Amino acid sequence: MSSQLAVTRRSACPPPSAESQAERLDRVFTILQNRRRRLVLEYLRTHESTTQSDLARYVAAVENDIDEAAVTSTQRKRVYVSLYQAHLPKLDGFGAVSFDRDRGTVERTPRTEDLLTYLDRFHDQSAQPPLSAGPFGARTVSFLSAALAAVFVGELGVVPADFSLGLAVLLSLGGAGAAVYAIGTAR
């Protein structure tokens, strides 16, 4: 029985070299947590290969919110050094880029596209307006505000209470419908 238990335990454990889904995701997010590394990947979205100098100029321009032609040598050098010492080796170690230190070249790899997919997911979500923005969010608020006003008018005695209550329920249903529609179209 003890040999049977030993076999069961061994087969239940993943091989030591296998990277779990959670570990891989942690590594992906570690790579993507730095803005300069994300900017390198964004640059490689439209370039198969580039030089470290071109990357440094691009990143410096984005960070300083200026045109690439306006980047000073100090701005470019600051980015160049951090790319050389930290960011490009880390991206290369992950397999996201192929970085040749001696030649100063950076090339896309198949994993570049994988990381860009993660960035696209984030950009797609951040580009969506909040539910309150747009005509359906405003329509929902309008319906529910009118329902509240109908209740107040009924309480003040301006119209019969039964009428104001019925109107408030009808307007609330319209507001709920507008909210459901807004949520459905937001996905």
Side-chain angles (χ1 to χ4, degrees):
M1 174 135 166
S2 64
S3 63
Q4 200 174 18
L5 182 59
V7 170
T8 305
R9 282 189 182 161
R10 266 190 237 128
S11 64
C13 296
S17 63
E19 184 179 41
S20 73
Q21 180 76 12
E23 290 168 336
R24 182 175 176 350
L25 204 54
D26 287 345
R27 289 187 63 212
V28 166
F29 289 135
T30 298
I31 291 294
L32 296 177
Q33 77 182 8
N34 183 276
R35 184 172 188 227
R36 285 187 176 169
R37 290 193 290 267
R38 291 190 307 268
L39 288 173
V40 166
L41 293 169
E42 287 293 344
Y43 188 83
L44 290 174
R45 182 186 299 273
T46 57
H47 300 82
E48 281 296 315
S49 65
T50 187
T51 64
Q52 185 180 347
S53 293
D54 287 347
L55 270 176
R57 186 176 302 105
Y58 168 77
V59 171
V62 171
E63 288 181 347
N64 292 289
D65 198 25
I66 57 175
D67 190 65
E68 284 187 49
V71 171
T72 67
S73 64
T74 304
Q75 292 168 329
R76 188 188 59 76
K77 283 179 189 175
R78 189 176 304 126
V79 172
Y80 186 95
V81 169
S82 79
L83 289 178
Y84 181 81
Q85 292 179 347
H87 303 302
L88 292 175
K90 188 167 236 169
L91 286 165
D92 186 55
F94 184 74
V97 301
S98 176
F99 174 47
D100 185 336
R101 282 181 169 230
D102 296 333
R103 293 178 50 213
T105 58
V106 181
E107 296 177 351
R108 286 175 63 117
T109 67
R111 287 190 101 178
T112 306
E113 196 60 42
D114 294 342
L115 292 175
L116 287 172
T117 301
Y118 281 101
L119 291 178
D120 290 341
R121 288 180 186 171
F122 173 76
H123 290 305
D124 290 346
Q125 289 176 356
S126 64
Q128 291 179 351
L131 290 178
S132 60
F136 298 111
R139 188 172 295 159
T140 302
V141 171
S142 298
F143 271 113
L144 297 178
S145 297
L148 186 60
V151 170
F152 282 129
V153 168
E155 286 295 316
L156 293 174
V158 176
V159 295
D162 290 341
F163 176 75
S164 69
L165 184 59
L167 182 60
V169 168
L170 185 64
L171 291 169
S172 295
L173 288 173
V180 168
Y181 183 79
I183 291 169
T185 58
R187 291 179 190 229

